[in-house]
Amino acid sequence: MKINKKLPWILAAATALMVSCSEKFLEPKPESFFTPENLFVDKAGYNSMLITMRKDLNREQTGQKNFMAHQWAASEAAVPWLQMDFRALTPNSDLYQQFVVQINDIFQMVKNANTVISRIDNITWENENDRNQILAEALWHRSYWYYRLVGNYGDLPFVKDEVQGAKLDFNTHSRWAILKQLEKDMEFAAEWLPEQTAAGAPSKGAANHLLTKIYLANLEFNKAVESANKVINGPYKLMTSRFGIDAGDSRKNVIWDLHRPENKNIAANTETILAFVDRWEAAAEARSAGLFTMRVYHCSWWHSISGKDKNKGLGMIDSGPLYDSLGRGNPDVALSDWHSYKIWANGTETYKNTPDLRRADVNWFDREELRYNNPASVQYGEPFDPKNMDLPDEYWARIYPMPIYKTYVPNKPDQAGQPLGSNGDWYIFRLAETYLLRAEAYYWLGQLQDAANDINTVRERANATPITATDVTLDFLFDETARELFAESPRQNELNRVSYILAKRNEKGYSLENIHEKNYFYDRVNTLNDFYLRSSEINILGQNPNIQPFHFQWPISDPIINSNTLGRINQNKGYVGSQNNVPPLETIE
Amino acid sequence: MKKPETPDQPRRDNEGIRHWKKYLGLSMAFSMSFSAAVSAYTLPSGSNKQPVWQTKSIAQTLQGRVTDEKGEGLPGVSILVKGTQLGTLTDVEGNYSLEIPNSNAVLIFSFVGYEPREITVNSSQTQLNVQLESDTKALDELVVVGYGTAKKSDLTGSVARINASTFKNQGVTQITDVLAGSVAGFQANQGTNASGGANMEIRGTNSLIASTSPMIVLDGVIYNGDLKDINPNDIETMDILKDASSAAIYGARAASGVILITTSRGKSGKPTINFSTRFGISQALNTGVAARGPQGYLDFRRDYFRTLGLSQPSYYWHSPEQLPEGVTLDQWRGASSNPNPDNTLEWLSRLNFFPTEVDVYLSGNTIDWAKEVFRNAKRQEYDVSVGGGNDNVSYYWSLGWLDNEGILLGDKFSAIRSRMNVDFKITDWLNAGVNAQYTNRDESAVNSKSGNESDNNVLPSLGGMYTTSPFARLYNEDGTPSWYPHGYPGGQNPLLNVLGQDRSRINNSLFASIYAEVKLPLGITYRLSFQPRIEALKDYNYWSPETIVGGFTYSGGYATRLETNRSEWMIDNLLKWNKKVGIHSFDVTLLYNSEQFKSWTTTLTNQGFAPSSTLGYHGMQYGNKPTMETNDIRYSGDGMMGRVNYALLDKYLFTVSLRRDGFSAFGQENPRAVFPAAAFAWKISQEDFFRSEGINDLKFRLSWGKNGNRDIGPYAAFSQMRSVQYYDGTNPQIGVSTSTLSNPGLRWEETESLNAGIDMALFGNRVNITADVYDATTRNLLVKRSLPRVTGFDNVITNIGALQNRGFELTVSSVNVRNNNITWRSNLNFSLNRNKIKALFGESGEYTLEGKIHQGEIPDFTNKWFIGQPVDVAWDYDIQGTWQVEEAEEALRYNLKPGDIKAADLDNNGAYEALQDKRFIGFTEPRYNIGFRNEVDFLKNFSASVFLRADLGHVRAFNQSVQGWSTFDRNSTANYPYWTPENRSNEYPRLANNIAPFGGGIIPFKQTSFLRIQDISLSYALPSHLAEAAKFKSARIFGSVRNLATFTKWPGWDPESGHYPMPKTFTVGLNVSL
């Protein structure tokens, strides 16, 4: 009985001992994720962040509302079909186009770069070269995206470091201050990035190419020529003969080969400076939604409003032949006659007889080639007749030629679903652009013959008629970039950049004081783009095309401004809220 | 603790009460005879029912009458021969007759509301009249409080109880179904799918991001499992701890209140077998909003085109049969450049009908999508339980199977639930036992979220139902399901998942509480309990090449296979001591607790199965793009608690408690926190000076305490790196990116609250009133603080700010009528909660709001949090109506057109700017909650109940009318009204309305107050002689209807579930006790 009486006490004491462990018991243990503390401990840790940044480059031209599509939708070449009145673009409106919210995505890429930049010296590097190379790539990515941000939005806060904790006191830096910073960062990157890199990773050439654009933006034209020289004299060469996947198809040509997604990252292609990698054969999580080129840039030829036959039955349908190769055009970026026809006219040359391979019949699908594809239609197989449309007067806007040499990316054999533009690689930088950038630098320097030579290098490869020095104007240069770099170069950014150069130089009546009321971007877009010229003739979703000078850059999203409660992020002039602006910071500390 | 009798008993002189008690007794007699509960006596009549004493010689038959103090007969008094199971009940007049064994027997006379009496009868006695004295405390039930029980009259905090009898006539899938509207201060909404369930909240939102669901305590131990795993048929009572003091002993997890669930236990005596079954049918309420009908769709398409601003004349889209006045057919035909010879075809072409739509229009076989998507859902449920025991052991075992269909085609939930509660008395100092619960849930077809758009749900898509035209075909000619029933890829077949997906989602769980209780010297008891919980979830999905998943068709099929195992344990060490010394009584509780949780999740996916995909998710290895992901979690916590209850003179009650908790999820700078509480209650009616005719009981309560909230996920303090898969053209690679900002200083939320309450019993306990007011402030709020997106992050979790909840709760229960034929009881609960943000980030400055410049703490505009406003405030444009045709010019000032929304422009500057023009226009949580239950027993064997519920004074976002309309020329929408030039709605805008000019976006809000007849039921208990003839202890049949009628102005599906259909359920059932 004595033992019985003690037993409970013993039990209790034993249990208490059992459970009263040390503080270690409460230590949190992450099990299936890394934290910066346990990741950035060696080179492999830093590299893993660079991999993310390389993948993020595909945001430029994958998915339906991609960044590049917006660049061309806001240009002479096209309108954003579903939001063709830019006055509907407000700091909070993103109903059908994402001119506003893409800023959030791009700043995530800036954040990723800053994580590496801020933590680069958290470890002791055995090899200084490793450190500098990793830092250089992070700086390249940050500069690449900031160059795009400045082009989209103008003045912005420059976020230089990894953000720790709640920071709500950002202030706007002027675009000039940011571009100066980018220049410094890219000079470092150009020094340390290797000449040869894996597909999809920026190299020394990609650094010098980007640096050329930044020098141009900073009006340092001699330096721009120098950095472009480093690329042009580097390991790159324009492609002039047939190569790659379709090389055996005699109906095609080198321009066709150049833009096959399968050819962009192969060794035979010496023109690629940088192209992102995005493959259908990758696991679903490792690939994007696809290039969406046939969705974004193609007209909705299959749509019942346009595609009716003479009995008002469906002449065009979204299945079968034609649909599988032209795809389900939406379009998000409706191409203008300027882009389809006018820029190909040169003297007696028209889009029909131009020797320019970039407008070769085999490279484009012209609207005259459309035939009713509905076997049930009375007009099956007959050529498309605009008179049958619900709105025949809108034929010019609704049905346009498609530059399939760039946009044709059919579904893979084992890929079902709508044909929108499958996965594929896409150019970020290509040597042809370097030539045209150097031509621009020569133009500003007044070396028009040098400019003409560079332009002709690009034109001759495409079998286009060469030009002379007297032909070199800023407008011609931008016509040429539209011919060569459609859906590759960020069009609105480049027009915006040149608008600032002209204003800074007070040329052609432009000045920085009233740039949001009068600028080169607007004057070109509003006078060349047929949609604005024929605004009253087309109405989509209740809107007629309209653009104003201040749309040369886009509004800063309201939530960004409103959540930054301890500082002032400026709104771009012309948009609601800009009355609260304070002068931007001119230096970056 | 019996209340000492006071010298005079004024309340007993009330004739009415006396009368009532008589009938109370009568009714008790019936209900006891027919009750499913274990009866401690056997019935005298009939014969072969007394096997025990038939073996002995019969000495005598005792007769007599039981009366109250006034000499009136008491019906239904239980008379039991002590130590046997022999007994009887008094009849309507209070008379009884009982045959007793041939020895000196002790009879126990007991009756609810009266002091029991024990009387020894000598062997020759044949007559015994007994008078019972009423016991005003007898109705004072024992309620469960944290780590113990207490008499209701001794409570110092605010505790509400729900008895199983409240819901015994309903079809209840999980217990939260019962709670919606039933308890003052407890907000819950009914679940809408086959598995039932609801969100719950006690006394308002007290956190912005952490969970505000109350914590569950099951049979005295903390329960982290799913409520679906608890069979409502096993539940005896639920007690809800609302104030800080009662909950504070659960410290870090109790800020949102605590629900204590007590399950059935075996009672001494021979086994009682209980069987019950229920059948039910559910239907969707209000399917009128589901989809546009054929004519509605034709009008919708016409009106969309007409108000879009196209170049054609307005009559262009009219039916040639119904042209507007003054328009001729020739004019109509002439509006098209090459009209089809057939007017109907021309018209349908103008309406942009797809070929399928034209065919269906001509054939007339339209589809009513609501009929395809919804169904009369069947529900069935079978439960059997056995309970019993003796002096040394008691047991209760149950097994239940429930199989519910939901109102959406395919929605289905079934569960097998079993419970075993066994208690052993091993020695006089040692008790031990186990409460164990096993559940197998089949959720293969359950809608796991109200949005209904998850890829994995094998359910109809409401979105598909809205967008698909009624001129459509569900199946292709070859019998396969049509992907795009009206020919447009934007209108996917809403039934595609139901028809094309194979899913198995099975959850097995086991929860047990194993305990030993030791009586130590000095009146101390020590209880050690160990609670393991294990859970295994398997969620497998397969989509064949014939179907679509996530917008894709996978030519070789696609399959996912998720497995999660959870394993946790908890240990409670509990020491209790209570002692009464003279006028002082003490009750001390000490606790040491520790816990650990681990889970392991593996997800496999694959696609492109070859040579064939017929093996589905059983043959993951046959695919060509395998992926895998693992996600393991662990956390740990500990707690220490001490509590002292002290009562002085049984009138002044004090409770003091202190708890210290530790939890691994918080930043290592603050892993622990302390939560104190104190309470005081004064039984005023016990005082000598207290004299009242009407008031039997009066108690005043006051409590204060601090509670915590730890429910933010185990790794919130860390900066987490997300993995990113990449393919460089040759090799798969893994990248990372930072997905959250770290916060090593993260700490507990603390809610400090003050509660004052009053409990009153009036008119002979016939009316009971409980009223409480409270004021709770939560500090160190865990907040996802919005960051400017230039940081690359949306937000960071920090502890900032303060949030206040104040409220009032009132519960009145009464017996309105009690006579020979009818007993009518009512219970009314009323509550209101007012919530206010007191502080946010502590950063002051100048800011603009509602067009005015303010000085003070800066709001969080992104999250719509404003100092001095409730969390649920609706801050948006104040919609005045719709711009009408006459106002076109004025509308143009805002770049708007007739038919667009007209909102107040506070500064009248011709632009809608969020900070200038948005206002506080309402609240999204109910301002008042009312529940009103009435129960009537009549015609001896019948009882009926009606439960009314009202949530009043709130608004809800109604986005439909401002959603994107770019595809309205090709698809349909949910059936909501809209503006046209003829039908000048001021409530709804035109179909193609423009919202771009509204800075910060615009959301229309609509009134969503409602009153509903939530439950009605009727039950019939078989008269005892019939039940006995069938050898039952009792038998009962019942029927009920849930959500019979709803009164509201809300234009959507249901004011409670918002944009989701709510079921109406009819249930019939049978309960038999052997």
Side-chain angles (χ1 to χ4, degrees), chain B residues 949-980:
Chain B
R949 175 182 172 203
D951 281 8
L952 303 174
H954 55 310
V955 295
R956 179 186 269 116
F958 190 78
N959 281 328
Q960 272 88 338
S961 54
V962 293
Q963 278 164 358
W965 38 264
S966 70
T967 56
F968 284 10
D969 60 344
R970 277 159 284 166
N971 63 20
S972 187
T973 69
N975 189 20
Y976 59 83
Y978 52 84
W979 180 95
T980 65

Short mmCIF file of all heavy atoms in Angstrom, two decimals, chain B residues 949-980:
data_model
loop_
_atom_site.label_atom_id
_atom_site.label_comp_id
_atom_site.label_asym_id
_atom_site.label_seq_id
_atom_site.Cartn_x
_atom_site.Cartn_y
_atom_site.Cartn_z
N ARG B 949 -34.16 33.35 -38.13
CA ARG B 949 -32.86 33.99 -38.01
C ARG B 949 -32.82 35.24 -38.86
O ARG B 949 -33.33 35.24 -39.99
CB ARG B 949 -31.80 33.02 -38.49
CG ARG B 949 -30.44 33.65 -38.51
CD ARG B 949 -29.45 32.65 -39.02
NE ARG B 949 -28.19 33.33 -39.21
CZ ARG B 949 -27.27 32.91 -40.04
NH1 ARG B 949 -27.47 31.84 -40.75
NH2 ARG B 949 -26.16 33.57 -40.16
N ALA B 950 -32.22 36.26 -38.33
CA ALA B 950 -32.07 37.49 -39.10
C ALA B 950 -30.66 38.05 -38.91
O ALA B 950 -30.16 38.11 -37.80
CB ALA B 950 -33.10 38.52 -38.64
N ASP B 951 -30.04 38.40 -40.02
CA ASP B 951 -28.79 39.15 -40.01
C ASP B 951 -29.12 40.47 -40.67
O ASP B 951 -29.59 40.48 -41.82
CB ASP B 951 -27.70 38.44 -40.83
CG ASP B 951 -27.07 37.28 -40.07
OD1 ASP B 951 -27.57 36.96 -38.99
OD2 ASP B 951 -26.09 36.71 -40.57
N LEU B 952 -28.88 41.56 -40.01
CA LEU B 952 -29.42 42.83 -40.49
C LEU B 952 -28.38 43.90 -40.65
O LEU B 952 -27.39 43.95 -39.92
CB LEU B 952 -30.50 43.33 -39.52
CG LEU B 952 -31.66 42.37 -39.24
CD1 LEU B 952 -32.58 42.94 -38.17
CD2 LEU B 952 -32.44 42.10 -40.51
N GLY B 953 -28.63 44.77 -41.61
CA GLY B 953 -27.92 46.05 -41.69
C GLY B 953 -26.64 46.06 -42.48
O GLY B 953 -25.91 47.04 -42.43
N HIS B 954 -26.33 45.02 -43.23
CA HIS B 954 -25.05 45.00 -43.92
C HIS B 954 -25.22 44.99 -45.44
O HIS B 954 -26.32 44.81 -45.96
CB HIS B 954 -24.20 43.82 -43.46
CG HIS B 954 -24.86 42.48 -43.59
ND1 HIS B 954 -26.12 42.22 -43.13
CD2 HIS B 954 -24.42 41.32 -44.13
CE1 HIS B 954 -26.43 40.96 -43.37
NE2 HIS B 954 -25.42 40.40 -43.98
N VAL B 955 -24.13 45.21 -46.13
CA VAL B 955 -24.12 45.23 -47.59
C VAL B 955 -23.08 44.24 -48.09
O VAL B 955 -22.21 43.81 -47.34
CB VAL B 955 -23.79 46.64 -48.15
CG1 VAL B 955 -24.87 47.64 -47.80
CG2 VAL B 955 -22.42 47.11 -47.67
N ARG B 956 -23.21 43.91 -49.36
CA ARG B 956 -22.24 42.99 -49.96
C ARG B 956 -21.94 43.44 -51.39
O ARG B 956 -22.81 43.98 -52.06
CB ARG B 956 -22.81 41.57 -49.96
CG ARG B 956 -21.90 40.55 -50.59
CD ARG B 956 -22.54 39.20 -50.71
NE ARG B 956 -22.28 38.35 -49.56
CZ ARG B 956 -23.21 37.91 -48.73
NH1 ARG B 956 -24.46 38.20 -48.94
NH2 ARG B 956 -22.90 37.13 -47.73
N ALA B 957 -20.73 43.21 -51.80
CA ALA B 957 -20.32 43.60 -53.16
C ALA B 957 -21.12 42.79 -54.19
O ALA B 957 -21.29 41.58 -54.04
CB ALA B 957 -18.83 43.35 -53.36
N PHE B 958 -21.60 43.50 -55.18
CA PHE B 958 -22.30 42.83 -56.29
C PHE B 958 -21.59 43.23 -57.58
O PHE B 958 -21.90 44.23 -58.21
CB PHE B 958 -23.77 43.25 -56.32
CG PHE B 958 -24.60 42.42 -57.27
CD1 PHE B 958 -25.01 41.15 -56.92
CD2 PHE B 958 -24.95 42.91 -58.52
CE1 PHE B 958 -25.76 40.37 -57.79
CE2 PHE B 958 -25.70 42.14 -59.40
CZ PHE B 958 -26.11 40.87 -59.03
N ASN B 959 -20.59 42.44 -57.92
CA ASN B 959 -19.71 42.80 -59.03
C ASN B 959 -20.25 42.50 -60.41
O ASN B 959 -19.75 43.02 -61.39
CB ASN B 959 -18.39 42.03 -58.90
CG ASN B 959 -17.49 42.65 -57.88
OD1 ASN B 959 -17.52 43.86 -57.70
ND2 ASN B 959 -16.72 41.84 -57.20
N GLN B 960 -21.22 41.62 -60.46
CA GLN B 960 -21.65 41.11 -61.77
C GLN B 960 -21.83 42.21 -62.79
O GLN B 960 -21.41 42.11 -63.93
CB GLN B 960 -22.98 40.34 -61.64
CG GLN B 960 -22.79 38.89 -61.32
CD GLN B 960 -22.70 38.65 -59.84
OE1 GLN B 960 -22.37 39.55 -59.08
NE2 GLN B 960 -22.98 37.44 -59.41
N SER B 961 -22.50 43.30 -62.35
CA SER B 961 -22.88 44.29 -63.34
C SER B 961 -21.71 45.16 -63.79
O SER B 961 -21.88 45.96 -64.69
CB SER B 961 -24.00 45.15 -62.78
OG SER B 961 -23.63 45.69 -61.55
N VAL B 962 -20.55 45.03 -63.20
CA VAL B 962 -19.42 45.80 -63.72
C VAL B 962 -18.29 44.88 -64.18
O VAL B 962 -17.16 45.30 -64.34
CB VAL B 962 -18.87 46.80 -62.66
CG1 VAL B 962 -19.88 47.88 -62.40
CG2 VAL B 962 -18.48 46.10 -61.38
N GLN B 963 -18.63 43.62 -64.40
CA GLN B 963 -17.59 42.73 -64.91
C GLN B 963 -17.36 42.99 -66.39
O GLN B 963 -18.16 43.60 -67.06
CB GLN B 963 -17.99 41.28 -64.69
CG GLN B 963 -17.69 40.83 -63.29
CD GLN B 963 -18.39 39.56 -62.90
OE1 GLN B 963 -19.14 39.02 -63.71
NE2 GLN B 963 -18.16 39.09 -61.70
N GLY B 964 -16.24 42.49 -66.86
CA GLY B 964 -15.87 42.71 -68.26
C GLY B 964 -16.91 42.15 -69.21
O GLY B 964 -17.50 41.12 -68.96
N TRP B 965 -17.14 42.88 -70.29
CA TRP B 965 -18.22 42.51 -71.20
C TRP B 965 -17.74 42.34 -72.62
O TRP B 965 -18.55 42.33 -73.55
CB TRP B 965 -19.33 43.57 -71.14
CG TRP B 965 -18.78 44.97 -71.02
CD1 TRP B 965 -18.62 45.68 -69.88
CD2 TRP B 965 -18.26 45.79 -72.08
NE1 TRP B 965 -18.05 46.90 -70.15
CE2 TRP B 965 -17.82 47.00 -71.49
CE3 TRP B 965 -18.14 45.63 -73.46
CZ2 TRP B 965 -17.25 48.04 -72.23
CZ3 TRP B 965 -17.56 46.66 -74.20
CH2 TRP B 965 -17.13 47.85 -73.59
N SER B 966 -16.44 42.19 -72.83
CA SER B 966 -15.95 42.16 -74.20
C SER B 966 -16.43 40.93 -74.97
O SER B 966 -16.40 40.92 -76.19
CB SER B 966 -14.43 42.22 -74.22
OG SER B 966 -13.89 41.02 -73.74
N THR B 967 -16.87 39.89 -74.28
CA THR B 967 -17.33 38.70 -75.00
C THR B 967 -18.84 38.53 -74.91
O THR B 967 -19.36 37.45 -75.19
CB THR B 967 -16.66 37.43 -74.43
OG1 THR B 967 -16.93 37.38 -73.03
CG2 THR B 967 -15.17 37.45 -74.65
N PHE B 968 -19.56 39.59 -74.54
CA PHE B 968 -21.01 39.47 -74.47
C PHE B 968 -21.63 39.25 -75.84
O PHE B 968 -22.80 38.91 -75.95
CB PHE B 968 -21.63 40.72 -73.82
CG PHE B 968 -21.46 40.78 -72.33
CD1 PHE B 968 -20.63 39.89 -71.66
CD2 PHE B 968 -22.14 41.73 -71.58
CE1 PHE B 968 -20.47 39.96 -70.28
CE2 PHE B 968 -21.99 41.80 -70.21
CZ PHE B 968 -21.15 40.92 -69.56
N ASP B 969 -20.87 39.48 -76.91
CA ASP B 969 -21.39 39.17 -78.25
C ASP B 969 -21.29 37.69 -78.55
O ASP B 969 -21.70 37.24 -79.61
CB ASP B 969 -20.63 39.98 -79.31
CG ASP B 969 -19.15 39.67 -79.30
OD1 ASP B 969 -18.65 39.08 -78.32
OD2 ASP B 969 -18.46 40.02 -80.28
N ARG B 970 -20.74 36.91 -77.61
CA ARG B 970 -20.56 35.49 -77.89
C ARG B 970 -21.03 34.57 -76.76
O ARG B 970 -21.22 33.40 -76.96
CB ARG B 970 -19.06 35.18 -78.13
CG ARG B 970 -18.61 35.46 -79.52
CD ARG B 970 -17.12 35.63 -79.57
NE ARG B 970 -16.73 36.94 -79.07
CZ ARG B 970 -15.48 37.28 -78.74
NH1 ARG B 970 -14.52 36.41 -78.85
NH2 ARG B 970 -15.23 38.48 -78.30
N ASN B 971 -21.16 35.13 -75.57
CA ASN B 971 -21.58 34.23 -74.50
C ASN B 971 -22.66 34.88 -73.65
O ASN B 971 -23.15 35.96 -73.96
CB ASN B 971 -20.39 33.78 -73.65
CG ASN B 971 -19.70 34.93 -72.95
OD1 ASN B 971 -20.28 36.00 -72.77
ND2 ASN B 971 -18.47 34.72 -72.55
N SER B 972 -23.03 34.19 -72.59
CA SER B 972 -24.10 34.67 -71.73
C SER B 972 -23.52 35.05 -70.37
O SER B 972 -22.30 35.02 -70.17
CB SER B 972 -25.15 33.57 -71.57
OG SER B 972 -26.27 34.06 -70.88
N THR B 973 -24.38 35.44 -69.47
CA THR B 973 -23.95 35.78 -68.11
C THR B 973 -24.99 35.25 -67.14
O THR B 973 -26.03 34.76 -67.54
CB THR B 973 -23.87 37.30 -67.90
OG1 THR B 973 -25.20 37.82 -67.91
CG2 THR B 973 -23.04 37.98 -68.96
N ALA B 974 -24.69 35.40 -65.86
CA ALA B 974 -25.70 35.10 -64.85
C ALA B 974 -26.89 36.04 -65.10
O ALA B 974 -26.76 37.09 -65.72
CB ALA B 974 -25.14 35.30 -63.46
N ASN B 975 -28.02 35.66 -64.58
CA ASN B 975 -29.26 36.38 -64.92
C ASN B 975 -29.48 37.58 -63.99
O ASN B 975 -30.30 37.54 -63.10
CB ASN B 975 -30.43 35.40 -64.82
CG ASN B 975 -31.70 36.00 -65.36
OD1 ASN B 975 -31.67 36.97 -66.12
ND2 ASN B 975 -32.81 35.44 -64.95
N TYR B 976 -28.72 38.65 -64.21
CA TYR B 976 -28.93 39.86 -63.43
C TYR B 976 -29.52 40.94 -64.33
O TYR B 976 -29.35 40.92 -65.55
CB TYR B 976 -27.62 40.33 -62.80
CG TYR B 976 -26.53 40.63 -63.79
CD1 TYR B 976 -26.48 41.86 -64.45
CD2 TYR B 976 -25.56 39.68 -64.09
CE1 TYR B 976 -25.49 42.13 -65.37
CE2 TYR B 976 -24.57 39.94 -65.02
CZ TYR B 976 -24.54 41.17 -65.66
OH TYR B 976 -23.58 41.43 -66.59
N PRO B 977 -30.22 41.89 -63.78
CA PRO B 977 -30.86 42.92 -64.59
C PRO B 977 -29.84 43.96 -65.09
O PRO B 977 -28.72 44.03 -64.60
CB PRO B 977 -31.85 43.60 -63.63
CG PRO B 977 -31.73 42.89 -62.33
CD PRO B 977 -30.52 42.04 -62.36
N TYR B 978 -30.26 44.75 -66.06
CA TYR B 978 -29.37 45.77 -66.62
C TYR B 978 -30.22 46.90 -67.17
O TYR B 978 -31.42 46.78 -67.36
CB TYR B 978 -28.48 45.17 -67.72
CG TYR B 978 -29.24 44.43 -68.79
CD1 TYR B 978 -29.82 45.10 -69.87
CD2 TYR B 978 -29.41 43.05 -68.71
CE1 TYR B 978 -30.54 44.42 -70.84
CE2 TYR B 978 -30.14 42.37 -69.68
CZ TYR B 978 -30.70 43.06 -70.74
OH TYR B 978 -31.42 42.41 -71.69
N TRP B 979 -29.55 48.00 -67.45
CA TRP B 979 -30.20 49.21 -67.94
C TRP B 979 -30.34 49.16 -69.46
O TRP B 979 -29.43 48.71 -70.16
CB TRP B 979 -29.35 50.41 -67.55
CG TRP B 979 -29.84 51.76 -67.98
CD1 TRP B 979 -30.60 52.62 -67.23
CD2 TRP B 979 -29.59 52.42 -69.22
NE1 TRP B 979 -30.83 53.77 -67.93
CE2 TRP B 979 -30.23 53.68 -69.16
CE3 TRP B 979 -28.90 52.08 -70.39
CZ2 TRP B 979 -30.19 54.61 -70.21
CZ3 TRP B 979 -28.87 52.98 -71.44
CH2 TRP B 979 -29.52 54.24 -71.34
N THR B 980 -31.47 49.59 -69.96
CA THR B 980 -31.60 49.89 -71.39
C THR B 980 -32.33 51.23 -71.48
O THR B 980 -32.93 51.68 -70.49
CB THR B 980 -32.41 48.83 -72.16
OG1 THR B 980 -33.76 48.86 -71.68
CG2 THR B 980 -31.85 47.44 -71.99
#
